[in-house]
Amino acid sequence: MQQGKIVNETSPLLQNPSINQATKSNARNAISFEERLIDAEIDTGEIEDTFSWRKLWKYTGPGLLMSIAYLDPGNLEADLQSGAVAGYSLLWLLLTAHIAGQLIQCLSARLGVVTGNHLAQLIRQYYPRPVSIAFWLITEIAIIGSDIQEIVGTAIALKILFRIPLWVGTLLTAMDTFTFMLLQSYGVRKLEALFMVLISTMAICFWIEMFMSDPDVVDIIKGTLIPTIPRKAFVEAVAIIGAFIMPHNLYLHSALVMTRRTNNASNSKIKEANFYFSLESGIALFFSYLINMAIVTVFAKVFYSSNEDRPLPGLYDAADVLANTLGDASRYLWALGLLAAGSSSTITGTLAGQYVIEGFFGKIFKKPWHRLLITRSIALVPSMFVAVYSVNNFDNMGEILNVLQSLCLPTALIPLMKLTNSKSVMGKNFKTNDFWRYISWIITLVIIGTNLILFLEQLNKMPNLFLGYICGGIYFVFIIYITFLPIKETRDLLKINNISD
């Protein structure tokens, strides 16, 4: 019985003539071991020559979980503040961020489908060990930063709904681990169904509020089609670029596609999987855009003023702003949508943490609950301490965490670009073509440039300016180093540990 992907002579991994027979034999065994980290539960059936809605449904799921990273509490706060400070003007940038996100997520999904391994596993195999350890540490920092936003966002929603103190709410969010343990035992389809419910909850709540606010449709169209950045909204514009593509989400998406049994049996089957996963991701991100757009639109209508400078609302203050303008019911709609966002993103954080650790270090846990408890604790414990400590000053903390996420992103994005551009990794038929390679690297450079701007913006706020320059210098030297560092020409399969029959 083998539910993982099948490695045979038509697999892109084995197409490369530079790989000798001994290495190919080790590849079969090594990949067979690695694949047991993720069970391919869903059978996608035989190849079909024409488009099939039934086939699309079989591939639907990974994109839903991936899109949650675009809807977490940190992004919701960026949405409401961009609407509050710039009105409808940054809607075009929101759309651009989702389009760029779609390209990046498609590359992540293709990497998992074509190689039968996810991003963390491939970094471990293609990069020097010290560099891969550095990638892991930075990714864990990103997961912790994301967890803090999700924990506090959920706590704020609980306080609005049930008047629970914020520090109690942060402790209650630890229950998501036990919820996840229960859901995992029922299979990936049940988990995906839960996410459909949570995303639908967000869409209903935030779109009801948008219709209640009676926005100007002409201004929405202008804001979506005409690129402008108001002078006072520059920081919020940069935050939109930096906050939407999460580093750990690239690891997550490349792993989630492996829950579908595509078997790597032929180029045609891989092309089919790439097509449906790309389509499914596009649909998921389209709905994500509509939800984010609704939040920007609401606060552009109820808070924005071109003639008056006011302190920007945070996640908790937003409920009061809505209640004062749209009625008390809007407070609870906001809280319910925020609760759905926080709950769903903590679950995807749990998944990402598992894939990241086992990808970088192999299958080191014998039992599923050991894996869940330890991988979750690595991110959750420090997140809880920071969240409880800073929960009453979360608006300032949220801005710092968005910058942190943006700074961590290139350490996932650059390896993704290099791996998907490599013939030895993807095979000659599936490596990124020149056009999309240039586009993807342009996006990567824009994000790195955005990071530089964010860093310089935050540098003046640091208590120790000299220490800030030292840390910033080390960071950008490392980014330049990994940009020009070549990956290994062939996978070092003989060094994969714990190979099992």
Side-chain angles (χ1 to χ4, degrees), residues 126-195:
Y126 277 97
Y127 278 86
R129 192 61 174 164
V131 176
S132 67
I133 293 296
F135 284 149
W136 170 71
L137 288 172
I138 294 171
T139 304
E140 286 296 338
I141 291 172
I143 293 174
I144 290 170
S146 179
D147 271 343
I148 294 170
Q149 293 178 307
E150 294 153 5
I151 289 168
V152 176
T154 305
I156 289 173
L158 291 173
K159 181 177 181 178
I160 297 170
L161 289 170
F162 306 111
R163 305 301 178 187
I164 296 174
L166 287 175
W167 69 270
V168 175
T170 60
L171 296 176
L172 288 175
T173 57
M175 294 298 295
D176 79 282
T177 297
F178 301 101
T179 302
F180 182 73
M181 288 179 69
L182 178 64
L183 287 172
Q184 260 195 326
S185 64
Y186 288 101
V188 69
R189 270 306 201 192
K190 302 296 189 300
L191 187 64
E192 291 167 356
L194 172 65
F195 275 83

Side-chain angles (χ1 to χ4, degrees), residues 471-496:
C471 294
I474 294 172
Y475 167 80
F476 283 104
V477 167
F478 181 69
I479 295 302
I480 293 171
Y481 170 70
I482 62 173
T483 300
F484 292 98
L485 175 68
I487 64 173
K488 298 175 184 178
E489 287 300 318
T490 57
R491 193 174 305 178
D492 196 359
L493 294 163
L494 299 176
K495 291 186 178 181
I496 294 178

Side-chain angles (χ1 to χ4, degrees), residues 352-487:
Q354 293 182 70
Y355 296 145
V356 164
I357 288 184
E358 290 198 327
F360 280 107
F361 298 103
K363 193 173 184 181
I364 57 179
F365 305 108
K366 293 183 179 180
K367 296 183 179 180
W369 73 270
H370 290 168
R371 176 181 62 187
L372 178 62
L373 183 62
I374 294 174
T375 57
R376 192 61 179 135
S377 296
I378 289 174
L380 188 62
V381 171
S383 299
M384 293 294 294
F385 279 112
V386 175
V388 170
Y389 176 76
S390 64
V391 69
N392 292 316
N393 300 301
F394 180 66
D395 290 341
N396 293 331
M397 177 62 71
E399 183 179 344
I400 295 172
L401 292 174
N402 280 336
V403 173
L404 177 66
Q405 293 283 334
S406 184
L407 291 173
C408 291
L409 180 58
T411 61
L413 197 53
I414 291 172
L416 177 65
M417 297 297 106
K418 285 180 167 290
L419 290 167
T420 53
N421 291 339
S422 171
K423 184 187 295 186
S424 64
V425 178
M426 301 290 285
K428 64 180 181 180
N429 294 323
F430 296 103
K431 69 181 289 289
T432 308
N433 62 42
D434 289 342
F435 174 78
W436 289 114
R437 177 162 58 89
Y438 294 140
I439 295 296
S440 60
W441 273 108
I442 288 172
I443 293 172
T444 302
L445 292 175
V446 168
I447 291 172
I448 293 174
T450 299
N451 290 344
L452 180 60
I453 296 172
L454 282 171
F455 172 75
L456 294 174
E457 188 73 27
Q458 292 296 318
L459 191 61
N460 296 325
K461 302 178 183 179
M462 295 183 67
N464 191 322
L465 197 62
F466 178 74
L467 180 61
Y469 277 113
I470 294 296
C471 294
I474 294 172
Y475 167 80
F476 283 104
V477 167
F478 181 69
I479 295 302
I480 293 171
Y481 170 70
I482 62 173
T483 300
F484 292 98
L485 175 68
I487 64 173

Side-chain angles (χ1 to χ4, degrees), residues 39 94 149 153 209 227 235 251 272 293 340 403 458 475:
D39 288 333
L94 181 70
Q149 293 178 307
E209 289 186 326
V235 174
Y251 293 93
E272 177 192 84
M293 182 198 71
V403 173
Q458 292 296 318
Y475 167 80

Side-chain angles (χ1 to χ4, degrees), residues 61-287:
L64 290 173
L65 275 67
M66 169 274 295
S67 69
I68 291 299
Y70 295 75
L71 295 167
D72 75 344
N75 283 324
L76 300 191
E77 185 171 42
D79 290 338
L80 71 91
Q81 291 185 347
S82 67
V85 75
Y88 305 99
S89 300
L90 296 181
L91 285 175
W92 70 273
L93 192 58
L94 181 70
L95 178 61
T96 303
H98 278 80
I99 294 173
Q102 165 67 359
L103 172 60
I104 300 302
Q105 298 298 161
C106 284
L107 292 178
S108 178
R110 283 172 62 88
L111 186 69
V113 170
V114 173
T115 66
N117 289 266
H118 59 76
L119 181 58
Q121 294 170 310
L122 292 168
I123 288 175
R124 176 164 65 100
Q125 296 165 19
Y126 277 97
Y127 278 86
R129 192 61 174 164
V131 176
S132 67
I133 293 296
F135 284 149
W136 170 71
L137 288 172
I138 294 171
T139 304
E140 286 296 338
I141 291 172
I143 293 174
I144 290 170
S146 179
D147 271 343
I148 294 170
Q149 293 178 307
E150 294 153 5
I151 289 168
V152 176
T154 305
I156 289 173
L158 291 173
K159 181 177 181 178
I160 297 170
L161 289 170
F162 306 111
R163 305 301 178 187
I164 296 174
L166 287 175
W167 69 270
V168 175
T170 60
L171 296 176
L172 288 175
T173 57
M175 294 298 295
D176 79 282
T177 297
F178 301 101
T179 302
F180 182 73
M181 288 179 69
L182 178 64
L183 287 172
Q184 260 195 326
S185 64
Y186 288 101
V188 69
R189 270 306 201 192
K190 302 296 189 300
L191 187 64
E192 291 167 356
L194 172 65
F195 275 83
M196 292 184 71
V197 172
L198 292 173
I199 292 173
S200 299
T201 300
M202 284 185 267
I204 292 170
C205 291
F206 297 141
W207 269 70
I208 288 176
E209 289 186 326
M210 185 179 70
F211 285 118
M212 290 172 64
S213 70
D214 191 24
D216 190 321
V217 177
V218 174
D219 286 342
I220 292 175
I221 295 174
K222 287 182 179 178
T224 304
L225 298 180
I226 302 176
T228 57
I229 300 178
R231 184 180 299 273
K232 64 180 181 179
F234 180 75
V235 174
E236 284 71 24
V238 173
I240 288 177
I241 298 174
F244 273 86
I245 304 175
M246 297 288 185
H248 60 278
N249 205 39
L250 302 181
Y251 293 93
L252 177 66
H253 198 195
S254 64
L256 290 173
V257 296
M258 294 165 61
T259 60
R260 269 51 182 180
R261 205 176 307 159
T262 54
N263 293 329
N264 263 7
S266 68
N267 287 347
S268 298
K269 186 63 178 178
I270 296 173
K271 288 178 181 178
E272 177 192 84
N274 285 334
F275 170 76
Y276 281 107
F277 279 131
S278 298
L279 180 59
E280 184 243 358
S281 297
I283 294 171
L285 287 182
F286 174 70
F287 282 102

Side-chain angles (χ1 to χ4, degrees), residues 34-70:
E34 293 287 355
E35 287 161 352
R36 285 198 287 273
L37 299 179
I38 304 172
D39 288 333
E41 300 179 25
I42 312 301
D43 186 4
T44 56
E46 299 296 326
I47 301 171
E48 297 183 15
D49 294 331
T50 58
F51 175 79
S52 168
W53 289 102
R54 179 180 56 84
K55 179 76 72 172
L56 176 61
W57 176 247
K58 290 182 178 181
Y59 283 103
T60 296
L64 290 173
L65 275 67
M66 169 274 295
S67 69
I68 291 299
Y70 295 75

